[in-house]
Amino acid sequence: MNTKHLHFNTAIGVKKPENIRNKAQACPFCERDQLTDLIAVDGPIILLKNKYPVLENAYQTVLIETDDCHADLSTYSKDHLHSLIRFGLQHWLEMEDSGGFQSVIFFKNHGPLSGGTLAHPHMQIVGLHDIDYKEKVTHEMFEGIVIAEAEGARFTLSTKPRVGFYEFNVEMEDSGYKEKFAEYLQIAVHYILNHFPFKASSYNVFFHHIDDKIYAKIVSRFVTTPLYIGYGIPQVPNNLEWMAGEVRRLYFSM
């Protein structure tokens, strides 16, 4: 049975550790010898079942990106970046191909406004039994000003953002991994954290698999505009061309 709502188990939710704001809380991902229900391991990268499966009728996994609690996607070495994104895409697509779910979502939270609870770099891959996320995806949400395009990957700034304001997109065909896909994704995150016109400490990455293409939407996170919360109306800023030019100047003019 398809539905439009995910049900959140609050009894499990209140047990989740939180150390994005509570710095006294120990990091469970740093205690690697205590981790259980491991699914796959590639050096410091670990995929395991989520110990706190707050979403009902879903199969929740966590992808621990590194053994360095203070690292970040924006500063990973190229070797680690590619190992991580290859690993994540592989297991996401395998779960999708298993046929056991209506759809499978793959996303990353970073920072206090991202919706995450743990600071240690991680992503989540979640199989949804009753919801097909693709029903709410449109091609126009990935349209935008081209910042860079090379070696089978494209990097854009949305002109029709899903939620509003500044959303970066990276895309490639699903026929094979393209290194520029991960490198453009890393540039978007680095720009948000280091050069954004407003101080930003939070972002999300949302992966989508639509019509033989893989997309990553990278979204800076602030307090969500009331026009979107109350009415579902996205806002488009009038300085998109400037921002696209700034990213080109900072990362592609050498």
Side-chain angles (χ1 to χ4, degrees), residues 84-98:
L84 171 66
I85 301 302
R86 279 195 189 96
F87 182 95
L89 292 175
Q90 173 192 338
H91 289 281
W92 172 46
L93 295 176
E94 285 179 358
M95 195 183 297
E96 190 178 75
D97 289 342
S98 72

Side-chain angles (χ1 to χ4, degrees), residues 8-16 52-56:
F8 185 97
N9 188 316
T10 55
I12 296 175
V14 296
K15 298 176 183 177
K16 292 178 64 177
Y52 301 94
V54 295
L55 302 177
E56 296 182 352

Side-chain angles (χ1 to χ4, degrees), residues 1-6 102-103 128-133:
M1 179 183 69
N2 284 355
T3 181
K4 297 183 183 299
H5 294 82
L6 269 176
Q102 285 286 334
S103 64
L128 304 175
H129 291 293
D130 296 332
I131 294 178
D132 183 358
Y133 81 85

Side-chain angles (χ1 to χ4, degrees), residues 5 14 16 20 22 30 43 51 78 80 92 96 125 134 136 143 147 150 158 167 175 195:
H5 294 82
V14 296
K16 292 178 64 177
I20 284 184
N22 179 14
C30 286
K51 190 175 182 179
K78 289 293 186 285
H80 186 72
W92 172 46
E96 190 178 75
I125 304 175
K134 298 179 184 182
K136 296 185 177 181
E143 295 175 2
I147 296 171
S158 285
E167 300 178 4
S175 55
H195 300 291

